[in-house]
Amino acid sequence: MNVNLINIETGKSFEITLNENTSTGYSWSYVTDEKGLSLESEYIKKSKTENEALVGRAHEKVFMFKAMNSGTYILTFNYSQPWDQGQKAAETKVYTVKIVKSYIKSCEQS
């Protein structure tokens, strides 16, 4: 199991990119505390060699999250076959996300 640390300010967005091969039936899913993190989008990153056949090839899956509230949150990704509920995930990646309040310095002119 991989554990990663992400430090970010409230209101900022960050991406997590994972290799995936859906032709095998496996895909990434995640679990987190929705009060601290919000999924903005998820998409498959286009291959640099778009002319090659993509059937059976791995690709990169990108998850974009927004840091909503300060605190420490656990974001867990499991690589599994969604229909096989009783089976252990083939791979798990855990991210500890530390969100701190954003401090904006204001400048006043006299």
Side-chain angles (χ1 to χ4, degrees), residues 39-106:
L39 180 68
E40 289 188 315
S41 65
E42 64 181 83
Y43 60 93
I44 294 171
K45 191 181 279 189
K46 289 189 177 184
S47 172
K48 292 179 183 177
T49 55
E50 291 183 29
N51 294 334
E52 293 181 24
L54 296 179
V55 176
R57 289 190 54 208
H59 55 262
E60 291 183 321
K61 177 95 176 246
V62 180
F63 294 86
M64 181 173 283
F65 291 92
K66 184 171 186 177
M68 302 300 288
N69 297 305
S70 59
T72 300
Y73 303 94
I74 303 298
L75 180 56
T76 305
F77 286 89
N78 290 306
Y79 192 57
S80 61
Q81 294 174 322
W83 63 85
D84 198 358
Q85 298 295 323
Q87 211 50 353
K88 183 180 174 188
E91 188 175 353
T92 299
K93 294 190 180 220
V94 178
Y95 295 81
T96 299
V97 183
K98 291 187 179 184
I99 304 173
V100 296
K101 288 186 179 180
S102 174
Y103 294 100
I104 301 172
K105 296 181 181 179
S106 61

